[in-house]
Amino acid sequence: MANKQKTDQWAPTLYDQKHSFVWKLAASIVEILAPQPGERILDIGCGTGQLTAQIAESGAMVVGIDHSPAMIEEARRLFPEIEFQLADAHDFAFHQQFDGVFSNAALHWIHNPILVARCVNAALKDQGRLVVEFGGQGNVQILAEAIECASEEFLGKRLPHPWYFPSIAAFATVLEQHGLEVTQAAMIDRPTPLEGDDGLKNWVRMFGQHWLAGIPEEQHELFLARVDAIARPQLFHDSQWSADYRRIRIQARKR
Ligand code: BEZ
């Protein structure tokens, strides 16, 4: 799910070539959803549609939504038989309700969980289920600290990260206040390998527009090299980058 920037920052090719771990590591969350033939499932922040397609393989009728036109265009190209719609997680509505709402690696881009919870509640049938996984409290803490530190050097001020990484208590409270009873919750450390010696730089190129947008283009490589140098002692071991991912995984049911 793209964040609320004016231009579409997403590059589907870089996403699928270098960051396919986003959906590959998430296969088990589709198993938790356990979609059934004939069910209606909504996938929020579907990206290029890889997990939407896995859900569709079960025989469920799935709709994928994403806020990025580039992602929706690529998802439609890859999976023309599946319905994809351009929509914002804060502000979407469907005439027909869903048996399940699913989301992987998307909700950390939201800025107002209350609006999202309201839309999810309205989208679900009574007793419908919510299965979500995204960055939890402390996610990419070392990585973000390195970028923030470099941003201070390049911009003259420290620009904090833009993501929503809640604790279980904080996110569960929002859901419970909006008619969704939390049935399972976990916080999972998931160190995530980044491909190649440029792995960290590619991650920042893909996900760090919040900082890169404020830095003149001709300084981008210098900035990326600085982030790399700051993070390397903690995140690069045995010739391998490992991002300090931490996932919050929540299951809930509409009361
Ligand atoms: C994540 O999947 O945890 C993530 C991705 C992009 C930015 C921040 C976090």
Side-chain angles (χ1 to χ4, degrees):
M1 173 70 61
N3 64 2
K4 299 281 277 181
Q5 290 180 350
K6 286 197 189 80
T7 53
D8 188 355
Q9 64 172 295
W10 293 96
T13 310
L14 181 62
Y15 183 77
D16 269 356
Q17 281 176 356
K18 300 273 186 223
H19 301 95
S20 56
F21 60 79
V22 172
W23 49 270
K24 286 183 179 153
L25 287 174
S28 68
I29 183 181
V30 175
E31 284 162 29
I32 290 171
L33 176 72
Q36 302 298 311
E39 279 193 323
R40 277 177 58 77
I41 305 288
L42 176 65
D43 179 6
I44 299 179
C46 61
T48 54
Q50 305 290 342
L51 293 183
T52 329
Q54 279 186 32
I55 294 168
E57 278 171 20
S58 68
M61 208 295 295
V62 59
V63 179
I65 62 171
D66 203 286
H67 193 224
S68 159
M71 288 293 185
I72 287 294
E73 191 183 325
E74 181 66 357
R76 286 179 178 150
R77 190 185 70 77
L78 291 172
F79 307 107
E81 68 287 1
I82 296 177
E83 181 180 343
F84 294 100
Q85 292 188 21
L86 188 63
D88 185 337
H90 299 88
D91 181 20
F92 66 85
F94 287 86
H95 292 302
Q96 217 182 330
Q97 287 176 312
F98 293 89
D99 299 284
V101 171
F102 170 90
S103 182
N104 175 62
L107 295 188
H108 40 247
W109 292 104
I110 66 173
H111 55 85
N112 189 334
I114 292 173
L115 296 181
V116 177
R118 273 193 201 137
C119 290
V120 168
N121 181 299
L124 278 172
K125 296 177 184 171
D126 284 347
Q127 295 299 310
R129 63 200 186 280
L130 173 70
V131 177
V132 295
E133 184 175 305
F134 59 104
Q137 190 172 46
N139 190 40
V140 295
Q141 194 159 309
I142 298 170
L143 208 168
E145 169 69 23
I147 309 177
E148 287 173 27
C149 195
S151 80
E152 195 165 7
E153 295 173 14
F154 277 70
L155 296 169
K157 62 177 193 288
R158 195 180 175 90
L159 201 54
H161 79 70
W163 299 301
Y164 173 64
F165 294 148
S167 64
I168 288 175
F171 190 58
T173 300
V174 174
L175 296 179
E176 298 268 354
Q177 285 171 344
H178 292 86
L180 297 156
E181 183 181 24
V182 173
T183 54
Q184 297 273 352
M187 192 68 85
I188 305 158
D189 283 316
R190 186 186 293 150
T192 299
L194 302 178
E195 206 183 300
D197 196 59
D198 274 350
L200 187 96
K201 290 181 180 172
N202 281 331
W203 192 97
V204 180
R205 283 190 186 102
M206 180 79 207
F207 298 120
Q209 281 306 315
H210 172 69
W211 294 276
L212 288 171
I215 296 169
E217 192 139 7
E218 60 276 14
Q219 290 183 25
H220 281 188
E221 286 310 311
L222 275 177
F223 177 74
L224 293 169
R226 185 67 189 124
V227 176
D228 182 305
I230 297 170
R232 199 168 271 263
Q234 290 187 82
L235 298 180
F236 191 78
H237 299 291
D238 300 325
S239 308
Q240 176 68 58
W241 282 106
S242 176
D244 50 335
Y245 275 34
R246 201 158 190 249
R247 313 320 270 171
I248 179 170
R249 180 180 276 187
I250 297 276
Q251 292 174 250
R253 192 161 286 282
K254 180 166 169 176
R255 283 194 295 253

